[in-house]
């Protein structure tokens, strides 16, 4: 396989890792005002992701860094072209990350309330905007011969892009609800399961429309198969939630999100950022890539360290495998 | 003077603000992970409860600081592509690799093992728990290594070739980039400065507590003193190391970036031998209006070359030399800025403030240690100013770090990659001024608010003093079911 293809796959893997992992902690953040009835329950929710959210976010940093190194032109066009959405995502991730760490530092309800708002805002904004961004990458954006994005922010807010945003948003809410049902005990566990079913039904409808649309735009046989399996995984997950099998339910949304993102990348290949201005201006795995020397070097680094990272992150999830309930939450400081 | 419509000017201000801000948290993170790991190790070895109390106390302060370091770090990685897309296209092949490896190798270690450390008191055996913090510290060192190698390449590009066809720099020798001689001076300088900063932080805060939270009949003071002595040792060793590595850096800089050395000194005319080191100047430093200057003869020659009669090139001569090498008029060659002189007042003063704040901050810390020796509690004027003095020590050292970075980055101008690519040529061509205005104001406002909140929390927890000793649980990895309904040892 070509080195550039290997790196296209690796970057897809990093984004998949990011969405299946941070997807549920965005979901937990978005559900904070919905699922929790009091401060204790809000703390139960936040503590289910407490030890892991930061590690989940590093998947994003690695995806960004790997794109910079392996496809500098892609990184440059994408990040400068999607300037405002990325600025909003950054603001959201900043206030969200600080909120987790600072929320419990003062025993005041007003203080906690403001940080709750930061968590909610900081989870909704990226959950929606990542979908918009990815849908637009797949659909193509105006790019000139210098690989400069020539559209505006309004270019990105087309119906397909907006639908993409709603799909990630609703999938992440479902994924988060499944995670809460899996990781908590007591009253909230049942409510989370019930909510996952209701939101999941909406997410399933939106996702199917989006995937069919995507299939029409960039599809081939492989994407069709992947999208069908993704949809089945989602339906299977909802079925498992219905019969109270929380582990399988979470695995269902996990797979559905991962496969859907994988399908987007398969449909994109060999482009990395198609141009709607002129096909000749499209960024591809060939014309956007780094040199073979850099790619080889990075392949070695990735081959050595990625399994290690997956290993110790999985170990962390195992260490914190216990369900959390309101009995486990100590009094505020 | 800033052109409001210039994306370049706005992007430079934004980069400066978000990067200097981010680096307020970095040295404390690098240094405090080490100190907290040391404190916990000492506790495990001695079983003396005081060390655990100090571990938890400084871990608390560290985490408040770390949260901001993490979130402001995301901006760092994104902004190259957002506001410096042409720079990213040009250097991606060389500069992207260390960045990607930094994330893969270091960020995952830091975030995952810190999560384990914070929430793992009742889940991990003690030695393993302590090992987690050491791993976090290793992660911070690895992270620093890669990002500083990337920065050193910008100061002194090596291990690459310029591809005429694509107009990009291409990596040819990764190890040359990793062991760039600028990197070999910069890494120890930055890391030791981080240790110095964190040690001053620990010493300063314990000095304040010694005076203001002595406990009943000064019962807490022995604990504070023990921590202060530990911090002082770290300060002395790292302080000496910062000076030595800085001296090495100066000589490398004179060799590879002579203009930066001349700019650090505002040395306009070449000095054939025995160049003086300027300590202070009154008047402007544009070479025409110097009214009075305090100088030490020959010291600049020594700093730059290692001998007291070494020749140090001046700004005028270097300017001419660069004009003949890189082009005399803007645009004459592919990347030709025409003017090769950095902003001299900025380089001159930041160079002085870096050294001054570092040295004075360190000495103030040691003075606090001396004034509280053998259970002494200064009274009168000294007693009144001592707490404020103690807190000022880390603040000064921290600002010294900022000054050093502003100096080294401003001293490289007009280049973003020295001798290869100018800053003006690196900016994103497709981004509109209003977009950068928006992000510049947005980040600045948000960062300002977060700074106030952070300092407020630090003050709260410093004032609260270390919590009383509580024996932490000592679990095995298999876990036990009997404590299934016990509250978590730590929770958000």
């Amino acid at each position: 396989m070509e080195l550039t293809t290997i790196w296209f796959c690796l970057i897809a893997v990093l984004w998949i890792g990011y969405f299946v992992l941070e997807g549920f902690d965005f979901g937990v953040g978005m559900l904070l005002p919905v699922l929790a009835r009091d401060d204790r329950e809000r703390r139960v929710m936040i503590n289910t992701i407490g030890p892991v959210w930061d590690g989940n976010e590093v998947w994003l940093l690695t995806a960004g860094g790997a794109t910079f190194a392996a496809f500098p032109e892609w990184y440059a066009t994408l990040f400068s072209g999607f300037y405002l959405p990325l600025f909003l995502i950054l603001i959201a991730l900043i206030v969200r990350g600080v909120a987790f760490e600072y929320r419990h530092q003062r025993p005041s309800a007003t203080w906690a309330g403001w940080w709750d708002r930061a968590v909610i805002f900081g989870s909704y904004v990226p959950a929606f905007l990542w979908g918009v961004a990815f849908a637009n990458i797949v659909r193509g954006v105006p790019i000139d011969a210098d690989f400069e994005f020539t559209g505006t922010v309004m270019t990105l807010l087309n119906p397909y892009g907006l639908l993409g945003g709603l799909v990630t948003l609703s999938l992440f809410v479902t994924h988060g609800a499944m995670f809460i049902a899996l990781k908590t005990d007591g009253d909230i566990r049942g409510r989370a399961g019930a909510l996952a079913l209701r939101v999941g039904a909406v997410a399933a409808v939106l996702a199917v429309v989006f995937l069919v649309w995507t299939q029409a735009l960039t599809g081939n046989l492989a994407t069709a198969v992947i999208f069908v399996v993704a949809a089945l995984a989602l339906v299977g997950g909802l079925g498992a939630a219905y019969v109270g099998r929380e582990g399988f339910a979470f695995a269902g949304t996990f797979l559905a999100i991962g496969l859907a993102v994988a399908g987007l990348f398969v449909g994109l290949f060999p482009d990395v950022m198609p141009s709607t201005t002129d096909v000749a201006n499209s960024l591809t795995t060939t014309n956007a890539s780094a040199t073979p020397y850099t790619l080889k070097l990075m392949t070695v680094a990735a081959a050595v360290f990625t399994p290690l990272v997956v290993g110790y992150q999985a170990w962390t999830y195992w260490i914190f495998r216990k369900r959390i309930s309101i009995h486990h939450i100590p009094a505020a400081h | 003077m800033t052109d409001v419509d210039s994306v370049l000017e706005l992007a430079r201000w934004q980069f400066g603000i978000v990067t200097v801000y981010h680096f307020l948290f970095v040295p404390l993170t690098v240094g405090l992970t080490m100190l907290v790991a040391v404190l916990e190790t000492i506790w495990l070895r001695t079983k003396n409860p005081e060390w655990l109390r100090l571990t938890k106390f400084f871990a608390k302060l560290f985490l408040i600081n770390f949260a901001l370091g993490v979130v402001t770090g995301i901006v760092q990685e994104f902004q190259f592509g957002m506001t410096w897309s042409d720079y990213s296209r040009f250097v991606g092949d060389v500069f992207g690799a260390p960045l990607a490896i930094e994330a893969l190798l270091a960020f995952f270690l830091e975030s995952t093992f810190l999560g384990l450390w914070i929430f793992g008191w009742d889940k991990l055996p003690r030695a393993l728990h302590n090992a987690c913090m050491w791993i976090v510290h290793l992660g911070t060192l690895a992270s620093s290594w890669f990002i500083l190698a990337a920065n050193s390449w910008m100061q002194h590009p090596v291990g690459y070739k310029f591809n005429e066809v694509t107009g990009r720099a291409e990596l040819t020798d990764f190890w040359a980039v990793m062991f760039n001689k600028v990197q070999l001076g910069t890494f120890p300088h930055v890391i030791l400065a981080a240790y110095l900063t964190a040690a001053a932080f620990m010493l300063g805060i314990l000095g304040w507590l010694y005076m203001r939270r002595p406990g009943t009949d000064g019962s807490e003071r022995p604990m504070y003193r023990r921590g202060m002595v530990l911090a002082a040792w770290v300060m002395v060793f790292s302080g000496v190391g910062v000076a030595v590595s800085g001296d090495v850096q100066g000589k490398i800089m004179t060799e590879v970036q002579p203009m930066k050395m001349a700019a650090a000194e505002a040395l306009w005319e070449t000095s054939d031998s025995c160049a003086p080191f300027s300590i202070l100047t009154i008047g402007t430093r544009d070479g025409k209006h110097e009214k009075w200057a305090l100088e030490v003869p020959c010291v600049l020659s020594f700093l730059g070359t290692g001998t007291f009669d070494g020749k140090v090139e001046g700004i005028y001569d270097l300017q001419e030399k660069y004009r003949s090498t890189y082009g005399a008029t803007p645009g004459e060659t592919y990347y030709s800025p025409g003017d090769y002189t950095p902003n001299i007042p900025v380089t001159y003063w930041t160079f002085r403030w870096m050294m001054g704040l570092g040295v004075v901050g360190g000495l103030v810390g040691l003075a606090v240690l001396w004034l509280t020796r053998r259970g002494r509690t200064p009274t009168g004027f000294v007693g009144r100013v001592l707490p404020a003095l103690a807190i000022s020590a880390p603040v000064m050292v921290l600002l010294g770090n900022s000054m050093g970075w502003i100096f080294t980055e401003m001293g490289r101008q007009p280049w973003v990659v020295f001798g290869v690519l100018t800053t003006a040529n690196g900016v994103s061509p497709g981004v509109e001024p209003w977009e950068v205005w928006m992000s510049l104001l947005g980040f600045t406002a948000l960062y300002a608010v977060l700074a106030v909140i952070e300092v407020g929390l630090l003050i709260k927890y410093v004032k609260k003093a270390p919590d009383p000793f509580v024996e932490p649980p000592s679990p095995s990895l298999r876990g036990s079911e009997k404590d299934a309904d016990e509250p978590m040892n730590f929770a958000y």
Side-chain angles (χ1 to χ4, degrees):
Chain A
M1 209 196 288
E2 302 252 346
L3 275 171
T4 49
T5 310
I6 293 177
W7 271 93
F8 181 83
C9 297
L10 279 171
I11 283 168
V13 167
L14 291 169
W15 281 109
I16 291 168
Y18 177 61
F19 287 126
V20 296
L21 293 172
E22 192 144 80
F24 69 73
D25 64 51
F26 283 148
V28 172
M30 289 186 279
L31 288 171
L32 203 58
V34 182
L35 269 182
R37 288 197 178 135
D38 54 24
D39 188 59
R40 262 209 171 176
E41 288 196 344
R42 279 190 285 276
R43 292 184 65 197
V44 167
M45 291 179 69
I46 290 172
N47 278 289
T48 59
I49 55 170
V52 295
W53 72 268
D54 189 14
N56 294 348
E57 203 156 290
V58 176
W59 285 84
L60 169 66
L61 289 172
T62 311
T67 311
F68 195 175
F71 299 102
E73 301 281 355
W74 186 12
Y75 171 78
T77 305
L78 176 64
F79 281 60
S80 63
F82 292 13
Y83 192 91
L84 284 182
L86 286 174
F87 165 64
L88 288 176
I89 287 174
L90 286 174
I91 294 285
L93 293 181
I94 290 171
V95 297
R96 180 177 180 270
V98 175
F100 290 136
E101 205 65 59
Y102 284 8
R103 186 191 186 280
H104 66 109
Q105 305 280 12
R106 289 182 192 276
S108 133
T110 324
W111 170 268
W114 278 105
W115 290 118
D116 286 343
R117 288 184 191 101
V119 169
I120 296 159
F121 165 83
S123 303
Y124 267 102
V125 168
F128 178 71
L129 287 179
W130 282 128
V132 175
F134 266 79
N136 276 290
I137 292 174
V138 170
R139 175 181 172 272
V141 287
I143 294 171
D144 68 15
D146 294 329
F147 290 163
E148 291 299 330
F149 173 80
T150 54
T152 66
V153 70
M154 291 315 288
T155 318
L156 305 178
L157 301 178
N158 53 72
Y160 178 73
L162 294 171
L163 178 63
L166 291 178
V167 169
T168 46
L169 187 107
S170 57
L171 277 177
F172 291 166
V173 171
T174 313
H175 198 33
M178 300 282 198
F179 184 75
I180 294 291
L182 179 65
K183 289 290 295 178
T184 58
D185 221 342
D187 227 22
I188 192 167
R189 178 179 171 185
R191 272 181 276 138
L195 188 81
L197 274 178
R198 273 181 283 146
V199 184
V202 178
V205 172
L206 290 171
V208 167
V209 174
F210 179 75
L211 293 182
V212 169
W213 196 342
T214 308
Q215 180 68 19
L217 279 177
T218 66
N220 51 40
L221 182 64
T223 56
V225 173
I226 295 172
F227 288 155
V228 168
V229 180
L232 289 176
L234 184 57
V235 173
L238 293 174
Y242 185 73
V243 296
R245 300 294 299 268
E246 288 147 343
F248 284 106
F250 179 73
T253 45
F254 190 95
L255 271 178
I257 293 170
L259 286 167
V261 179
L264 294 185
F265 274 92
V266 171
L268 196 57
F269 184 83
D271 284 347
V272 292
M273 230 181 145
S275 167
T276 52
T277 317
D278 184 347
V279 189
N281 301 345
S282 291
L283 281 87
T284 68
T285 54
T286 322
N287 69 16
S289 83
T291 58
Y293 177 83
T294 297
L295 291 178
K296 240 178 262 173
L297 174 90
M298 300 259 303
T299 308
V300 175
V304 175
F305 292 106
T306 313
L308 205 64
V309 167
V310 172
Y312 63 66
Q313 277 208 336
W315 182 63
T316 310
Y317 279 92
W318 184 76
I319 293 284
F320 299 108
R321 66 195 175 282
K322 265 191 198 158
R323 287 177 185 270
I324 299 174
S325 72
I326 45 174
H327 310 295
H328 295 112
I329 301 298
H333 297 254
Chain B
M1 279 174 296
T2 301
D3 179 358
V4 292
D5 290 328
S6 160
V7 171
L8 174 65
E9 291 288 321
L10 295 169
R12 286 185 69 190
W13 275 106
Q14 177 167 298
F15 192 92
I17 289 169
V18 300
T19 309
V20 168
Y21 189 80
H22 175 62
F23 206 79
L24 293 174
F25 309 106
V26 174
L28 281 171
T29 296
V30 173
L32 283 175
T33 48
M34 188 271 287
L35 287 174
V36 170
V38 167
L39 289 171
E40 193 183 1
T41 303
I42 299 178
W43 171 63
L44 286 176
R45 288 293 177 102
T46 62
K47 307 283 183 230
N48 180 343
E50 289 176 351
W51 293 109
L52 182 69
R53 294 177 64 202
L54 289 176
T55 305
K56 293 210 160 186
F57 177 70
F58 282 103
K60 181 107 219 164
L61 302 179
F62 156 67
L63 290 173
I64 289 167
N65 166 76
F66 183 75
L68 283 188
V70 167
V71 296
T72 56
I74 313 172
V75 179
Q76 295 302 311
E77 201 200 48
F78 277 41
Q79 67 171 335
F80 295 115
M82 288 172 70
T83 38
W84 303 97
S85 67
D86 271 358
Y87 166 81
S88 304
R89 290 179 206 281
F90 187 90
V91 303
D93 198 65
V94 186
F95 187 87
L99 236 68
I101 297 174
E102 180 191 18
L104 186 62
L105 204 136
F107 294 164
F108 274 122
L109 273 187
E110 289 173 78
S111 58
T112 309
F113 285 90
L114 190 62
L116 280 163
W117 193 89
I118 299 171
F119 288 89
W121 284 100
D122 54 355
K123 300 228 168 16
L124 300 172
R126 283 176 186 176
L128 187 60
H129 184 262
N130 185 208
C132 285
M133 188 53 93
W134 281 111
I135 293 172
V136 174
H137 181 58
L138 278 182
T140 67
L141 293 182
S143 167
S144 308
W145 181 274
F146 289 107
I147 198 65
L148 290 174
N151 180 269
S152 297
W153 185 81
M154 296 163 72
Q155 313 289 348
H156 179 51
V158 291
Y160 81 105
K161 69 173 170 22
F162 178 69
N163 183 328
E164 299 280 348
V165 182
T166 58
R168 296 189 299 193
E170 293 180 351
L171 186 61
T172 55
D173 186 350
F174 179 68
W175 301 109
V177 174
M178 286 295 108
F179 297 99
N180 186 343
K181 64 177 153 189
V182 172
Q183 159 77 347
L184 297 180
T186 303
F187 181 77
H189 192 66
V190 170
I191 296 303
L192 291 166
Y195 289 167
L196 179 67
T197 313
F201 181 84
M202 186 164 149
L203 203 160
I205 287 172
L206 290 176
W208 187 91
L209 289 169
Y210 184 93
M211 295 299 291
R212 290 291 166 85
R213 296 289 183 274
T216 329
D217 298 328
S219 59
E220 299 283 59
R221 282 186 168 145
M223 172 173 76
Y224 299 145
R225 273 296 295 184
R226 270 193 269 274
M228 286 163 81
V229 171
L230 171 71
W233 279 111
V234 176
M235 260 179 67
V236 169
F237 278 108
S238 54
V240 170
V242 169
V244 171
S245 59
D247 181 57
V248 172
Q249 273 187 304
K251 291 177 178 51
I252 297 170
M253 182 168 79
T254 309
E255 185 194 329
V256 303
Q257 289 176 299
M259 182 62 103
K260 197 193 276 185
M261 190 75 219
E265 280 303 308
L267 181 76
W268 292 88
E269 304 286 353
T270 296
S271 176
D272 283 322
S273 73
C274 192
F277 178 81
S278 157
I279 295 174
L280 282 175
T281 304
I282 293 179
T284 57
R285 262 282 164 179
D286 62 6
K288 286 151 199 116
H289 305 291
E290 183 179 309
K291 293 198 182 84
W292 177 82
L294 178 60
E295 294 177 335
V296 193
C298 301
V299 167
L300 177 58
S301 283
F302 182 77
L303 284 179
T305 66
T307 57
F308 284 103
D309 57 359
K311 175 178 168 175
V312 180
E313 286 180 293
I315 295 164
Y316 291 136
D317 283 353
L318 287 165
Q319 168 83 355
E320 282 318 304
K321 205 161 123 185
Y322 286 175
R323 280 159 79 96
S324 64
T325 314
Y326 301 113
T329 48
E332 184 184 308
T333 57
Y334 186 34
Y335 291 119
S336 170
D339 185 358
Y340 299 91
T341 312
N343 185 325
I344 301 300
V346 170
T347 51
Y348 178 83
W349 286 111
T350 49
F351 191 63
R352 263 138 208 85
W353 280 105
M354 168 187 74
M355 293 195 285
L357 286 167
V359 169
V360 175
L363 291 179
V364 166
L366 293 181
V368 171
L369 185 77
W370 172 253
L371 290 169
T372 55
R373 69 193 181 279
R374 289 193 211 97
R376 266 167 238 230
T377 42
T379 49
F381 177 71
V382 178
R384 277 199 307 280
V385 296
L386 191 60
L389 208 61
I391 295 298
S392 75
V395 175
M396 284 193 272
V397 180
L398 195 59
L399 293 179
N401 281 274
S402 308
M403 293 297 152
W405 275 111
I406 296 172
F407 164 71
T408 205
E409 295 299 288
M410 289 295 283
R412 192 188 56 232
Q413 303 303 324
W415 303 106
V416 64
V417 181
F418 183 81
V420 183
L421 182 72
T422 61
T423 308
N425 277 305
V427 78
S428 296
V431 173
E432 300 289 330
W434 69 270
E435 293 178 302
V436 190
W437 264 117
M438 194 168 152
S439 57
L440 171 61
L441 295 177
F443 284 132
T444 308
L446 178 61
Y447 281 12
V449 171
L450 292 177
V452 172
I453 295 172
E454 198 236 9
V455 171
L457 281 179
L458 287 178
I459 291 172
K460 173 192 161 179
Y461 283 105
V462 168
K463 282 185 170 169
K464 217 174 140 221
D467 289 330
F469 177 74
V470 180
E471 180 82 28
S474 181
S476 76
L477 265 183
R478 281 195 207 91
S480 67
E481 295 307 316
K482 70 171 167 39
D483 62 353
D485 279 332
E486 292 283 303
M488 294 157 77
N489 196 276
F490 175 88
Y492 276 148

